Amino acid sequence: DGGITQSPKYLFRKEGQNVTLSCEQNLNHDAMYWYRQDPGQGLRLIYYSQIVNDFQKGDIAEGYSVSREKKESFPLTVTSAQKNPTAFYLCASSISQGSPQPQHFGDGTRLSIL
Amino acid sequence: KNEVEQSPQNLTAQEGEFITINCSYSVGISALHWLQQHPGGGIVSLFMLSSGKKKHGRLIATINIQEKHSSLHITASHPRDSAVYICAVKETSYDKVIFGPGTSLSVIP
């Protein structure tokens, strides 16, 4: 079955540590996205990528970095510069960002600070 | 004021009740999505609307473009419908998706 796989499901970060969240899709989608979800708030876009080797900052990119070396993979690194990283992170994909296609989502990664 | 608002924020219903969740938005849109987030966190797309009404099983979604309002109805609600329902709009000016804060639904047997 096609879908999006995020790992790990739970992740803990120590102070000053960078951590990387994995997102893999086998839907052959061009566009991939990372969102952050905080209680009582709508999902907020961190980064998105419309094509391999290209990505754009979203609304809350500070303290995060991404890469898109393969179409299937869009890992997110939460750097030590992100002072409030505790949140639920969702990866999504769509056929193309330019068209209003429904987005497919992963099951999320919950990041907490030790 | 948030660009996408939902009401109610929380909703508890008895099994079998008819449920309505509302979404209002203040921007121009090309499409509106209704999403369901399960207790474990995964999100599933329920509907994408640009006009009128869509039905899938016990779920019905309507949109009124002039009034900038959409509703999600659940008929004959069941405990397995318990989830967070999220409204998201595809905004035309900046070609981005804006998510509402979600409505948490709990259906009691």
Side-chain angles (χ1 to χ4, degrees), chain A residues 7-111:
Chain A
S7 63
K9 191 170 179 67
Y10 299 95
L11 187 58
F12 298 91
R13 195 191 89 168
K14 295 179 182 178
E15 294 288 340
Q17 185 181 44
N18 293 354
V19 291
T20 297
L21 285 59
S22 170
C23 177
E24 304 278 332
Q25 55 101 357
N26 60 3
L27 299 163
N28 200 33
H29 284 175
D30 290 314
M32 296 186 74
Y33 314 78
W34 273 106
Y35 293 99
R36 172 179 170 140
Q37 187 178 37
D38 294 282
Q41 296 188 39
L43 276 68
R44 291 182 291 167
L45 182 64
I46 304 172
Y47 268 97
Y48 64 96
S49 168
Q50 294 178 275
I51 195 169
V52 175
N53 292 323
D54 183 63
F55 48 83
Q56 308 294 330
K57 291 182 179 180
D59 299 320
I60 55 165
E62 186 174 348
Y64 300 98
S65 66
V66 293
S67 63
R68 186 84 186 277
E69 297 177 1
K70 298 186 298 181
K71 188 175 185 179
E72 303 79 25
S73 180
F74 191 41
L76 173 74
T77 297
V78 183
T79 75
S80 57
Q82 173 49 244
K83 297 307 179 188
N84 185 23
T86 297
F88 190 63
Y89 292 86
L90 283 155
C91 178
S93 71
S94 66
I95 293 174
S96 168
Q97 202 213 24
S99 60
Q101 295 287 341
Q103 292 190 7
H104 295 254
F105 289 83
D107 288 337
T109 293
R110 189 166 300 278
L111 176 61

Side-chain angles (χ1 to χ4, degrees), chain B residues 13-35:
Chain B
Q14 288 293 130
E15 183 173 358
E17 284 186 10
F18 180 84
I19 289 163
T20 296
I21 298 170
N22 297 298
C23 174
S24 60
Y25 52 92
S26 58
V27 295
I29 70 168
S30 58
L32 182 143
H33 297 257
W34 280 102
L35 308 166

